[in-house]
Amino acid sequence: MSQPSPTIYLIDDNADFRASAEFWLDAAGYQVQALGDPEQALQALGRHPSAERGCVLMDVRMPEISGLDLHDRMNERGLDLPVVYMSGHADVALAVRAMQKGAVSFLEKPLDEEALERALQAAFARMEARQQQQAKQIAPEDEAGPHSKAEAGDSPGAQEFRRREATLAPREREVLGWVIQGIYNKNIADRMQLSVKTIELYRARGMGKMGARSVAELTRMMVSRQVEGAC
């Protein structure tokens, strides 16, 4: 028996955008639930059959409750559908926060159809991998930690990113988080109550471990959670 078409929960406060995006997604063969109210969205997500494929495609900036806050409420209720964020505003810090919450991708409006399709396929691959792990009763962590096992369906770039990220010390990770937000070393030092030379050391070590030759390359890597060219 063939699987039902995946369900996309399209959450956006802009009715015109919802209508146009729903039209494209429906034509692409997806089942779509277009929702403008966060509470209704949470109720709809709670009714999603656990054995069926689905994902959340939502705007990160909404007036009543932001996409980030809605994501937190999903996690509080145990709603672990993969999330793809959208935004009409290019904001690196916001994108970083979204990816840190476990989002699959962060897309800029107007949506590029190919980028959207890639993000959706990555979301479904993540969900299928999770379902397979649950079915086989695979432990989520081993002695090496939560990221020691490559998730089925992940791209080589995502696997390589997790491998590199796992080598970061906590301080290095924190410094890089400030760096990709455009914060200068002196300001990072003030915030972390460390010397500038110590910050420079953590920054150099962190970028070396991540294999980033520039801040721009590091930012792309941290936002996409991918290492380009990895195979």
Side-chain angles (χ1 to χ4, degrees):
M1 181 182 294
S2 60
Q3 283 187 314
S5 299
T7 300
I8 310 294
Y9 294 90
L10 173 64
I11 307 172
D12 197 296
D13 62 296
N14 186 313
D16 291 337
F17 176 81
R18 287 201 309 274
S20 62
E22 183 178 12
F23 178 82
W24 185 89
L25 292 166
D26 183 70
Y30 298 110
Q31 298 184 63
V32 185
Q33 289 201 37
L35 303 152
D37 180 83
E39 287 300 330
Q40 291 181 356
L42 284 170
Q43 293 174 16
L45 293 171
R47 293 191 295 268
H48 182 82
S50 61
E52 295 183 9
R53 293 176 297 165
C55 84
V56 177
L57 178 63
M58 70 177 167
D59 197 302
V60 73
R61 295 179 184 271
M62 293 183 285
E64 293 184 23
I65 177 173
S66 73
L68 297 174
D69 289 337
L70 184 56
H71 200 166
D72 285 339
R73 291 173 67 174
M74 287 173 56
N75 291 334
E76 289 169 2
R77 299 187 185 195
L79 306 174
D80 60 354
L81 285 171
V83 175
V84 175
Y85 280 106
M86 308 174 290
S87 178
H89 310 275
D91 187 326
V92 171
L94 198 61
V96 170
R97 288 176 61 198
M99 301 308 290
Q100 288 174 337
K101 288 183 182 292
V104 175
S105 188
F106 190 99
L107 304 176
E108 189 173 349
K109 295 177 178 177
L111 299 179
D112 176 81
E113 292 183 5
E114 291 186 4
L116 174 58
E117 183 62 28
R118 286 196 300 270
L120 294 177
Q121 291 308 312
F124 300 139
R126 179 180 293 188
M127 187 174 189
E128 288 170 2
R130 187 181 302 148
Q131 290 171 339
Q132 290 171 7
Q133 289 178 340
Q134 292 172 347
K136 296 177 181 178
Q137 297 183 335
I138 297 177
E141 299 184 14
D142 59 15
E143 295 179 357
H147 299 298
S148 58
K149 293 182 181 180
E151 295 181 17
D154 269 356
S155 68
Q159 294 175 19
E160 178 60 18
F161 173 85
R162 283 205 311 277
R163 186 194 68 77
R164 296 183 189 184
E165 186 185 39
T167 67
L168 293 174
R171 288 289 197 181
E172 293 166 351
R173 188 190 306 271
E174 185 176 359
V175 167
L176 294 187
W178 291 118
V179 167
I180 62 177
Q181 294 182 53
I183 309 300
Y184 293 112
N185 289 347
K186 184 180 183 305
N187 299 115
I188 298 174
D190 290 340
R191 297 182 186 197
M192 296 180 65
Q193 297 185 329
L194 297 170
S195 70
V196 173
K197 286 193 174 295
T198 300
I199 296 301
E200 291 173 347
L201 178 62
Y202 284 138
R203 175 173 176 163
R205 284 180 177 173
M207 291 187 67
K209 289 179 179 180
M210 294 303 296
R213 292 163 292 186
S214 67
V215 174
E217 184 178 7
L218 176 68
T219 301
R220 287 195 301 272
M221 196 182 299
M222 297 294 277
V223 169
S224 68
R225 301 186 71 80
Q226 297 268 348
V227 175
E228 295 180 2
C231 58

